Structure formats: structure tokens, C-alpha cells
């Protein structure tokens, strides 16, 4: 009844189904873990943004890798801007997430002689990408900056390629270690994403706080993959039952056709035998007798 399952076609189909089930289950858990990571990160961002501001030197130091749990904390730093070593970071989007331009990155010299990098905000790229753009001037004299502490960017974490050979004072990644080599002096690990004071004319545009409300579609994708995994055996059973039914109907039809053929053959053989024995002439003789 189910011998067709041993056919090459059905063996391949069954093996493919058995291979897909664990793959789909694993993809579901992968999406679940992404959902959990997003939820945890949203909670971290919300808690960090709500925390009281602390001096930047309380969270980082020269050469220190900023721990993930300290990211987005509000920090303050007081010093003077070193605009002579100001650089711009290429290929960055504005708050509308569409316009491409630069981040303005300016070292802030602290009273102890260390520097901390400050992302003062976004400016438009303009038409000539080969020259240093017109950057709104940084405040002169001693200033106090408030902002979010961020970890150094790397190609691995950000996915941004650290292109070499860029025009003067243009970089791809915000990385305190690399900038310390240019400055030839200690630079605190990570950088500050400025939130205050706000520029008088709105330029550069301050970077908006990260979204920490949306959780994305990862949970829906996880459920979707698990439904697909459950659908494979269900679909396999439906196909097997349909194949069995079709084969049974085909066998019954063949049997009926064979039976009809046998009956037709028997009738034809009986007719031939009757003709050979002369029986068809008898009704004619009887008719003649009655006529007489």
C-alpha cells in the first residue's frame, strides 16, 4: 500500500523534508535570540539615558575599551576645543535617515591634558567631497559638553570599511586609538555624542538619541520559521495520503477496464462459438414451420 515511499522520488522528498525541519527550527531560535538582544539593548539604552550625568573620566580613560553596559550613559566634560585637529567622518546620515553627510569630530582638551573626542553633530556633504567641508565653528574658550558616551567604532562591529587614502582630515570610523596616533597625546577611549549645549543656529545638527522603543519583527519571524517547520511533516502526510488515494483510484480504474475487457472478450468468444455450431439458423427454421 505504501511501497511507493521506497521510490527514488519519495526517498529524496522525505530526506529533504527531514533536513529542512531542524534548519527551520534553528532559524526560529536565531530570530528569537535577536529579539531578546533587541529587548535587552532597548532596556540598556533607556536605563542609560535616564541615569544621572557623570564626569566622562569616571567611565573611561586613555586606551580603555568602553564596556557595553556603559554605552549611552550621559556624561559631561569640561575643556577647550582643539579645532586644529578637527576631522569629519564620511558617509553619515542625518536625523531623517536619508541625507548623507559628515559627522564633525573635534578633540576637547581636558584640564589634566588628556583629550576626549566629541561628535558635535551632522553637516551636509556639499558638492565637493575631495576637500574639507565648511564646518560651523566650535565655541572658543572653556566649555562644558554634555552627551552620550559611545564605544569606539570598528569595521567588525559597524560594518563600515576603514577606507585609506581619503582627503586630508577625513576619516571613516570614530576610533580614539587611531585619533590618538594623529594627535600624539592621550585620548580617552570612546567618544561623546554631544546633546548639549545646542548650537545657536542649529548647525551642526545634533545626533538624535537612539530608538529604544521598537523591537523589530524578529519574534514574528521566529514564529514564522517554527510554523514552517511544523508544516513540513503535515505537508508530507497530506502528499502521502493524496498519492495513496491517486494510486488506489488508478488501480481500481485499471481493474474495471480489465474486467470490462474480459467480459467483452468472453461475449465475443461465445458469439464465435454459436456461429460455428449453426445455432443462429434454428430461429429461421422455426419461423418457416409456423408459416406452413
Amino acid at each position: 500500500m505504501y511501497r511507493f515511499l521506497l521510490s527514488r522520488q519519495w526517498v529524496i522528498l522525505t530526506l529533504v523534508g527531514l533536513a529542512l525541519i531542524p534548519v527551520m527550527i534553528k532559524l526560529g531560535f536565531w530570530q528569537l535570540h535577536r529579539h531578546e538582544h533587541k529587548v535587552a539593548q532597548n532596556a540598556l539604552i533607556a536605563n542609560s539615558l535616564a541615569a544621572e550625568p557623570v564626569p566622562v573620566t569616571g567611565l573611561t580613560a586613555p586606551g580603555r575599551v568602553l564596556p557595553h553596559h556603559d554605552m549611552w550613559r550621559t556624561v559631561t566634560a569640561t575643556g577647550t576645543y582643539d579645532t586644529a585637529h578637527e576631522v569629519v567622518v564620511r558617509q553619515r546620515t542625518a536625523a531623517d535617515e536619508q541625507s548623507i553627510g559628515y559627522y564633525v569630530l573635534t578633540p576637547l582638551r581636558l584640564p589634566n591634558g588628556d583629550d576626549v573626542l566629541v561628535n558635535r553633530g551632522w553637516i551636509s556633504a556639499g558638492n565637493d567631497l575631495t576637500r574639507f567641508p565648511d564646518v560651523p565653528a566650535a565655541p572658543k574658550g572653556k566649555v562644558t559638553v554634555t552627551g552620550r558616551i559611545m564605544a569606539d567604532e570598528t569595521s567588525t562591529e559597524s560594518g563600515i570599511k576603514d577606507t585609506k587614502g581619503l582627503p586630508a582630515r577625513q576619516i571613516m570610523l570614530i576610533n580614539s586609538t587611531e585619533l590618538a596616533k594623529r594627535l600624539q597625546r592621550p585620548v580617552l577611549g570612546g567618544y561623546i555624542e554631544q546633546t548639549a549645549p545646542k548650537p545657536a543656529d542649529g548647525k551642526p545638527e545634533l545626533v538624535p538619541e537612539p530608538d529604544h522603543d521598537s523591537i523589530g519583527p524578529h519574534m514574528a519571524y521566529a514564529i514564522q520559521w517554527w510554523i514552517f517547520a511544523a508544516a513540513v511533516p503535515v505537508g508530507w502526510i497530506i502528499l502521502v495520503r493524496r498519492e495513496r488515494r491517486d494510486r488506489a483510484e488508478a488501480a481500481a480504474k485499471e481493474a474495471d477496464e480489465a474486467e470490462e475487457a474480459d467480459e467483452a472478450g468472453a461475449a465475443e468468444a461465445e458469439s464465435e462459438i454459436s456461429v460455428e455450431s449453426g445455432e443462429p439458423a434454428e430461429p429461421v427454421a422455426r419461423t418457416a414451420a409456423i408459416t406452413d
Side-chain angles (χ1 to χ4, degrees):
M1 183 178 298
Y2 291 101
R3 290 182 62 84
F4 63 87
L5 292 176
L6 299 178
S7 66
R8 182 173 180 270
Q9 175 184 357
W10 275 95
V11 168
I12 293 175
L13 180 63
T14 302
L15 291 176
V16 169
L18 291 175
L20 285 176
I21 291 173
V23 171
M24 291 178 177
I25 292 174
K26 186 173 182 179
L27 287 172
F29 278 107
W30 172 59
Q31 289 291 346
L32 176 63
H33 294 154
R34 294 189 67 186
H35 168 78
E36 292 172 342
H37 172 75
K38 182 66 174 178
V39 170
Q41 179 160 297
N42 285 350
L44 174 61
I45 295 174
N47 293 335
S48 296
L49 295 177
E52 291 295 322
V54 297
V56 67
T57 52
L59 295 181
T60 185
R64 183 187 182 194
V65 177
L66 186 73
H68 184 71
H69 60 77
D70 283 336
M71 283 186 62
W72 301 287
R73 286 284 304 274
T74 302
V75 296
T76 59
T78 300
T80 55
Y81 279 119
D82 178 11
T83 55
H85 293 95
E86 189 171 63
V87 297
V88 292
V89 189
R90 294 169 62 99
Q91 297 294 315
R92 299 305 168 114
T93 54
D96 61 9
E97 298 184 353
Q98 295 180 353
S99 304
I100 304 297
Y102 301 108
Y103 280 162
V104 179
L105 193 66
T106 312
L108 183 72
R109 177 69 65 86
L110 303 177
N112 64 357
D114 293 341
D115 281 22
V116 62
L117 302 177
V118 178
N119 178 0
R120 295 200 292 121
W122 181 90
I123 60 172
S124 176
N127 297 322
D128 189 356
L129 302 180
T130 63
R131 69 176 186 86
F132 191 74
D134 295 328
V135 176
K140 296 183 181 298
K142 183 176 290 188
V143 296
T144 297
V145 176
T146 302
R148 297 177 289 268
I149 186 71
M150 304 295 293
D152 287 323
E153 295 178 344
T154 63
S155 295
T156 303
E157 293 292 332
S158 66
I160 301 173
K161 184 179 179 181
D162 190 13
T163 306
K164 304 299 181 182
L166 297 176
R169 300 174 65 186
Q170 295 190 22
I171 60 175
M172 294 299 296
L173 296 168
I174 305 176
N175 189 285
S176 62
T177 302
E178 295 300 320
L179 267 296
K181 296 176 183 178
R182 295 193 182 197
L183 297 174
Q184 295 296 310
R185 56 179 184 258
V187 177
L188 272 60
Y191 64 97
I192 298 175
E193 207 168 64
Q194 181 176 333
T195 59
K198 296 182 178 180
D201 58 355
K203 299 291 180 63
E205 299 176 13
L206 297 181
V207 180
E209 70 178 30
D211 174 31
H212 53 279
D213 294 323
S214 64
I215 58 174
H218 304 300
M219 178 57 77
Y221 289 161
I223 295 174
Q224 188 177 62
W225 280 118
W226 291 332
I227 290 175
F228 289 161
V232 170
V234 173
W236 184 86
I237 292 173
I238 291 174
L239 290 176
V240 168
R241 290 170 64 89
R242 182 181 298 173
E243 181 75 10
R244 178 178 175 274
R245 183 194 64 198
D246 292 344
R247 287 175 177 265
E249 290 177 354
K253 184 177 180 181
E254 289 179 1
D256 291 342
E257 290 176 353
E259 184 177 352
E260 291 176 359
D262 291 343
E263 291 178 354
E268 184 178 353
E270 184 178 350
S271 175
E272 291 178 355
I273 293 173
S274 298
V275 170
E276 291 176 357
S277 61
E279 290 182 358
E282 183 179 354
V284 177
R286 290 178 180 175
T287 303
I290 294 172
T291 302
D292 292 343

